[in-house]
Amino acid sequence: MSIQWFPGHMTKARRQIQEKLKLIDVAIELLDARLPMSSRNPMINDILLNKPRLIVMNKSDLADPDMNARWLKSFRGEGHAAIAVDASTGSNVSQIPAEARKLLQEKIQRQIAKGMKPRPVRALIVGIPNVGKSTLINKLAGRTVAATGDRPGVTKGQQWIRVGTEMELLDTPGILWPKFEDQEVGYRLAATGAIREEILNVEDIAFYALKYLSSHYWERLAERYGLEQRPADTDNPDEILSIMEDIGRKRGCLMGGGRIDLEKASGVILRELRAGKMGRITLEEPYSFMVE
Ligand code: G4P
């Protein structure tokens, strides 16, 4: 999937989402639990304005469980409703309608007090490409939903999907763009497969991932590839390069003359990281991150 980061595309995407916002009560902001900061759109607050929002950290099955808990705490500490799910198996997905409804509790209570019967909460899923929007829509719908196509400024033709008795979901998600200005964000998105590798150099992405894994998940890395020498300084590029070479050697990524094929080794590392072969890994911590 191509990433659209040109200003024109952003304006269009924003307009499309804002058209849909008129129809809904709650926005479900879908993030990748492995990189909750980088997988979120930097202008999300401007885009959603005051629409009640539920943050859903998807792919939590691939992310570090301790970090999932820390991120949830951090989002909640900033006043956001947040849950972690795994849309592919459906774990925790059934909590979404109730969580969305909670955000509208006061309004619903007022309606009940006036003798009105509250209608189901109307929701829209928004998120960057590859975060699992379609998978989640299908899981909530309990079937495969064919996208109706999305034209700028046109909200006709969209369908509501009934999710139990409590929620109705728009069948097409709002597609946001990730922020690319920060190179580290690009590397993290590429390391998890959220953006195509061709945009960045595959060896640079693997190098970035190895550096992070060496400092945060050394035991897992060492176990996976039988590494013995823990780097004394993970900021030293030579040490990271030598880990990459070691992995390449062990996996038979060799070129003529016994030289290591670093591109091939990088491919192995990234494939295995994305497939969860090194266990559940989160690539960013919630330390100084503010939702605003
Ligand atoms: P999008 O609409 O936001 O672009 O994302 P989409 O649902 O297409 O999901 C992107 C990829 O992420 C898919 O894998 C999907 O199976 C996977 N995925 C979605 N949610 C989860 C989750 O909670 N956990 C895990 N582990 N994976 C998830 P794919 O390789 O592109 O396709 P496929 O292998 O499913 O065919």
Side-chain angles (χ1 to χ4, degrees), residues 137-260:
I137 290 173
N138 290 339
K139 199 48 103 179
L140 284 166
R143 63 190 158 90
T144 303
V145 176
T148 49
D150 210 359
R151 284 164 293 151
V154 178
T155 45
K156 290 190 285 286
Q158 302 197 66
Q159 309 278 332
W160 291 104
I161 297 165
R162 204 57 194 246
V163 184
T165 53
E166 294 197 322
M167 193 165 101
E168 283 175 355
L169 186 66
L170 267 187
D171 66 343
T172 49
I175 300 172
L176 296 167
W177 58 96
K179 65 176 171 193
F180 270 95
E181 304 88 69
D182 180 346
Q183 204 178 32
E184 289 219 0
V185 170
Y187 284 140
R188 284 182 216 139
L189 287 165
T192 56
I195 59 173
R196 289 189 308 175
E197 267 168 24
E198 301 90 82
I199 292 171
L200 298 161
N201 174 295
V202 67
E203 290 170 38
D204 289 346
I205 305 164
F207 189 91
Y208 179 87
L210 271 187
K211 181 168 150 43
Y212 190 88
L213 293 168
S214 301
S215 59
H216 292 79
Y217 294 99
W218 170 253
E219 285 75 19
R220 308 261 202 94
L221 194 62
E223 192 188 335
R224 176 82 195 158
Y225 299 107
L227 308 174
E228 276 149 28
Q229 186 82 35
R230 188 182 189 128
D233 176 10
T234 52
D235 285 327
N236 179 351
D238 290 339
E239 294 203 55
I240 304 301
L241 186 60
S242 105
I243 295 173
M244 194 186 276
E245 287 171 341
D246 202 2
I247 294 173
R249 209 174 292 118
K250 292 193 157 115
R251 289 304 174 93
C253 307
L254 299 172
M255 298 193 293
R259 281 180 307 136
I260 315 281

Side-chain angles (χ1 to χ4, degrees), residues 1 20 22 25 27 29 91 106 117 121 134 143-144 226 234 287:
M1 179 170 309
K20 292 179 187 199
K22 293 179 194 158
D25 308 304
E29 186 192 5
S91 165
E106 280 178 27
K117 187 174 178 289
V121 172
S134 316
R143 63 190 158 90
T144 303
T234 52
Y287 49 99

Side-chain angles (χ1 to χ4, degrees), residues 1 3 32 34-35 59 129-131 186-197 205 270 273-274 283:
M1 179 170 309
I3 297 290
D32 185 325
R34 295 168 297 172
L35 58 179
K59 307 200 186 187
N130 236 337
V131 80
Y187 284 140
R188 284 182 216 139
L189 287 165
T192 56
I195 59 173
R196 289 189 308 175
E197 267 168 24
I205 305 164
L270 292 175
L273 171 65
R274 288 173 194 151
L283 293 174

